Amino acid sequence: MRGGDLDRQFDDFVANRFPALYRYAYVLTGNQHDAEDLVQEALTRTGVAWGRIRRKDDPEGYVRTTMARIMANRWRRPKLEHLVPGVPETAADDPGLDRVHEIDGLDAALGSLPPRMRAVLVLRYFEQLSEEETARALGCSRGTVKSQASRALAKLRAGMLDDPERALMEDRRGRS
Amino acid sequence: MEDLERLVEGRLRALDGTDPSEEVRARVLGRVNRQVAVRRRRRRVAGTVAGASLVVAGGFGVPALLPALEDGAFNGTAPVAIGSADPDDDPLLGGYDDPEESGSPGVGGATDGDETTPGAAGGLGRNLPTGKTLSVFGIGADGTVLGTGVGPKGRSDGTLWRADLDSLLGAPVPLAEPKGLYAAAGSADLSVWPERTRDGFQLMCQDTAGTPVQLGAAGVARRASLGFHVDQGHVVWTDRTGARVWSAKGCAGKPTELTDGYAAGLAYPYVYVLGDDTTDLHRVHLETGESEDRSLPPVSKNALFAAAENTFSVADDRKLTVYDADTWQPHTVPDRLPQGKATLSAGDTTVAYTTGDESLLYDTTSNTATTHDGTAYANGPYVLTREGDAFTLQRK
């Protein structure tokens, strides 16, 4: 395939899949600014390497994996930066999500997780990947995934309400 | 699945509903297109031997030997790091340097240089005897360029090279081969660089006498923007413990402990000193020791600083704020700074923020910002920019 065709192919892919890729970046980062940066960097790398990408049948998976790896390996938020997470308006009319939002501290705790831990959580619980698949996606060992997920959940427990049991109770009530 | 895991899943799914606005889409895709073009061009250049030349504007009509710095880092007179250069072949594997992982200060980056073939029109060969090409750390206030030799894969030759305006017709001069070289600052008469020793990094200084001497024994902090600075023959630095600021007049001057804190910039005679609390900034007169409070809003640990005669600039969270040095009136530049590891430098009328691929140049006289593809550095009256394969050194 010639260069011009490849460029058009990449442009079409980006034009069609940008919203989904941006949403995934948002899940990974939890805020708009970092999501923009993340999807930009991942698409740039993909665009540069487009001619050599083997997984042409699944370029979106390729970009998503790239984002997860960038997030897990490189993405470090300055400690003093305090970005305020917010439930997107589009989800606000979902009663179940309202309940999630009501659980004080979970958003903040998620937002304060180190990027690698957050990436592991996204792959495990959002993507529903197994530990083995998560390890393969992030290029690390299964043990690392296991320990990162465990530590992340421990941090979330500690970072939620003063009384995390109350949050869990609320959630149980919401689902019953 | 535990309750908490279900909560996390639900929260993450809630975030999945955030579609980008048209504005975000246009902004991001515009940057992607530009970055892809820039990086592809860089790959082509790195894979060949490209001609490059320095165009010296403002009365310096001499050919030069400056490299096309890709992501080179220099913070005015501040130290910066050199890291790996090209994006990896597989985008999954890299291309986004993390200074913490590389062990270098918070800025810096790729430094693959272009090459100038001997006798190329308007240029001069800049192949170094080491087989590498010269990649600059940045410019001094007198237009002097300090750099190191870097190969196509970002491997340094470990040599500090200097080219000043007077010697642009000649070859770069090797100054030293310090262990762990990651930065340098100075002028034609005085060069300063860190060198790794058994006691950590020590600051080395070389003047026209030609023999490098160590400045004190307290070492130097390996921190971007907060390590060491040179201006008008004076050197200030943060010691290795990161708690005290030292100064010395020239290489022969006895190092003097100036104050506690971190040296965030030097625009002689003023040293900008940051306290442990990043909102706590002082402007200290180097000769009298007189200190004036200059508060800052909270900044991150990755914030970059640059001092100039009339301004003090802070780049953080992709925002650039330029303070009037006397009135401390802040001006926040509305343009968002380019993404990526960056370098901030400041000259008399220009503040330059560069990621190597993209730069933002802010004119402090007109309060206008312009973007630029390629590198840009400012110091004193000089602004160095690269466009394509050619550097331009302008005297403003």
Side-chain angles (χ1 to χ4, degrees):
Chain A
M1 192 177 288
R2 290 187 306 183
D5 295 333
L6 283 173
D7 287 346
R8 269 192 297 280
Q9 194 184 54
F10 176 68
D11 291 344
D12 289 346
F13 162 69
V14 172
N16 290 330
R17 300 310 304 159
F18 180 74
L21 293 170
Y22 174 86
R23 287 199 302 272
Y24 188 60
Y26 196 96
V27 172
L28 278 167
T29 61
N31 71 81
Q32 179 185 328
H33 283 173
D34 285 349
E36 284 183 32
D37 290 349
L38 183 59
V39 73
Q40 175 189 322
E41 179 63 23
L43 284 174
T44 298
R45 291 187 191 185
T46 305
V48 171
W50 187 253
R52 300 189 302 278
I53 290 178
R54 294 180 294 275
R55 292 157 55 184
K56 280 284 190 344
D57 56 325
D58 183 22
E60 184 169 343
Y62 186 88
V63 179
R64 288 161 79 99
T65 306
T66 301
M67 282 196 276
R69 283 202 179 183
I70 292 172
M71 181 76 177
N73 296 329
R74 314 279 184 166
W75 207 265
R76 291 164 192 263
R77 179 178 301 163
K79 283 180 182 172
L80 295 177
E81 187 176 350
H82 297 290
L83 294 170
V84 181
V87 171
E89 288 182 8
T90 50
D93 57 357
D94 183 331
L97 297 181
D98 282 347
R99 281 193 294 279
V100 171
H101 186 48
E102 286 168 5
I103 300 173
D104 296 336
L106 178 57
D107 284 351
L110 267 174
S112 66
L113 285 180
R116 190 178 186 83
M117 285 186 189
R118 185 175 175 120
V120 168
L121 291 189
V122 169
L123 293 180
R124 290 282 288 119
Y125 302 121
F126 177 77
E127 295 265 44
Q128 299 283 308
L129 298 185
S130 67
E131 288 175 350
E132 193 66 45
E133 290 167 330
T134 301
R136 207 176 307 129
L138 295 180
C140 64
S141 70
R142 186 179 170 186
T144 299
V145 169
K146 207 169 178 177
S147 67
Q148 289 284 305
S150 171
R151 289 171 57 197
L153 292 174
K155 277 178 175 283
L156 291 181
R157 280 191 194 92
M160 286 173 65
L161 286 178
D162 292 341
D163 179 5
E165 290 304 316
R166 188 163 71 86
L168 297 177
M169 289 291 288
E170 280 190 22
D171 183 62
R172 284 194 193 100
R173 277 199 299 274
R175 281 189 275 117
S176 61
Chain B
M1 186 183 282
E2 289 181 14
D3 286 332
L4 179 57
E5 291 171 298
R6 265 191 283 270
L7 283 176
V8 170
E9 179 190 344
R11 184 66 193 94
L12 293 174
R13 294 210 178 284
L15 293 174
D16 190 30
T18 310
D19 273 323
S21 66
E22 278 306 311
E23 183 188 351
V24 167
R25 180 190 183 99
R27 181 169 59 234
V28 173
L29 296 190
R31 285 181 179 275
V32 167
N33 285 336
R34 192 162 53 182
Q35 286 287 306
V36 168
V38 166
R39 293 190 192 179
R40 283 179 179 169
R41 186 172 64 223
R42 180 198 297 177
R43 283 173 171 274
R44 285 196 296 271
V45 169
T48 59
V49 179
S53 63
L54 174 73
V55 179
V56 182
F60 297 91
V62 290
L65 36 100
L66 300 181
L69 182 67
E70 295 295 348
D71 279 330
F74 186 81
N75 185 9
T77 54
V80 291
I82 290 180
S84 139
D86 283 337
D88 295 323
D89 286 339
D90 187 338
L92 294 182
L93 299 180
Y96 193 89
D97 265 354
D98 185 326
E100 293 186 31
E101 288 188 354
S102 65
S104 48
V107 296
T111 52
D112 274 355
D114 301 334
E115 295 185 37
T116 303
T117 50
L124 199 66
R126 66 178 181 84
N127 290 335
L128 298 169
T130 56
K132 309 287 186 182
T133 53
L134 182 67
S135 284
V136 296
F137 288 124
I139 61 173
D142 61 353
T144 294
V145 175
L146 290 166
T148 191
V150 176
K153 296 294 182 186
R155 198 177 293 272
S156 167
D157 63 5
T159 304
L160 177 62
W161 300 85
R162 184 179 70 201
D164 56 49
L165 287 174
D166 291 336
S167 66
L168 284 178
L169 285 169
V173 179
L175 290 185
E177 295 183 13
K179 288 181 181 174
L181 176 66
Y182 63 85
S187 62
D189 297 330
L190 187 150
S191 303
V192 173
W193 64 89
E195 180 165 359
R196 188 174 58 231
T197 72
R198 288 181 178 179
D199 298 324
F201 278 92
Q202 297 290 337
L203 202 56
M204 305 301 294
C205 185
Q206 180 175 313
D207 56 20
T208 51
T211 303
V213 296
Q214 183 177 314
L215 286 178
V220 60
R222 197 176 176 190
R223 295 187 57 176
S225 277
L226 301 173
F228 60 94
H229 312 271
V230 178
D231 193 32
Q232 298 188 35
H234 291 261
V235 186
V236 299
W237 68 98
T238 307
D239 68 17
R240 192 158 50 88
T241 65
R244 292 172 298 176
V245 176
W246 296 73
S247 71
K249 185 175 182 180
C251 298
K254 182 184 177 185
T256 306
E257 188 178 336
L258 188 65
T259 182
D260 291 341
Y262 303 87
L266 168 64
Y268 184 81
Y270 294 108
V271 183
Y272 291 84
V273 177
L274 201 63
D276 282 330
D277 180 347
T278 54
T279 62
D280 182 22
L281 183 73
H282 302 279
R283 189 172 81 155
V284 181
H285 195 289
L286 199 54
E287 304 295 348
T288 66
E290 185 183 351
S291 175
E292 305 166 55
D293 290 343
R294 293 282 196 269
S295 64
L296 287 176
V299 294
S300 78
K301 65 173 183 177
N302 294 327
L304 300 175
F305 309 96
E309 184 178 359
N310 300 314
T311 59
F312 182 78
S313 302
V314 181
D316 189 37
D317 192 22
R318 300 185 65 186
K319 288 196 296 285
L320 175 64
T321 304
V322 179
Y323 294 85
D324 184 290
D326 292 322
T327 66
W328 211 242
Q329 184 72 30
H331 181 85
T332 300
V333 179
D335 307 59
R336 202 165 179 222
L337 294 170
Q339 177 206 348
K341 287 177 309 158
T343 299
L344 183 68
S345 57
D348 295 343
T349 61
T350 304
V351 180
Y353 180 94
T354 183
T355 64
D357 292 333
E358 289 180 86
S359 300
L360 183 139
L361 290 163
Y362 178 69
D363 188 322
T364 58
T365 57
S366 63
N367 290 336
T368 55
T370 54
T371 56
H372 175 83
D373 280 345
T375 52
Y377 302 90
N379 204 345
Y382 294 100
V383 176
L384 180 75
T385 56
R386 177 178 62 81
E387 191 162 357
D389 295 335
F391 275 98
T392 300
L393 183 64
Q394 287 182 296
R395 188 182 177 112
K396 293 283 187 176

